Amino acid sequence: MSYRIETIALHAGQEAPDLATGARAVRFIKPTSYVFHSSDHAANLFALKELGNIYTRLMNPTTDVLNAGLPLLKAVPVR
């Protein structure tokens, strides 16, 4: 199915509704920090040995969806 760029801009990167809320649009999550299970867990995350949310500018659920959607937007021909 072919979607217009407006639809792709809004929904690209989020293939299914949010499991926690059922929302179809991406939730805007703006935390400044996250809780770690242990100091080893934190060390692995900051060393990028383990994937997870560590700092808003590096990794968070909202930027994950944005990063998944940007390539889809770039593929849309300009009219």
Side-chain angles (χ1 to χ4, degrees), residues 13-40:
Q14 184 183 22
E15 301 304 321
D18 181 75
L19 294 177
T21 65
R24 180 61 186 105
V26 177
R27 292 184 298 148
F28 182 71
I29 299 173
K30 196 171 113 174
T32 58
S33 59
Y34 295 88
V35 175
F36 306 114
H37 305 296
S38 65
S39 58
D40 287 336

Side-chain angles (χ1 to χ4, degrees), residues 17-70:
D18 181 75
L19 294 177
T21 65
R24 180 61 186 105
V26 177
R27 292 184 298 148
F28 182 71
I29 299 173
K30 196 171 113 174
T32 58
S33 59
Y34 295 88
V35 175
F36 306 114
H37 305 296
S38 65
S39 58
D40 287 336
H41 178 235
N44 286 336
L45 290 172
F46 278 95
L48 303 178
K49 294 178 181 175
E50 187 176 327
L51 292 178
N53 300 318
I54 54 176
Y55 182 66
T56 299
R57 285 186 248 170
L58 295 177
M59 296 178 182
N60 76 38
T62 303
T63 57
D64 290 346
V65 173
L66 175 66
N67 288 332
L70 284 176

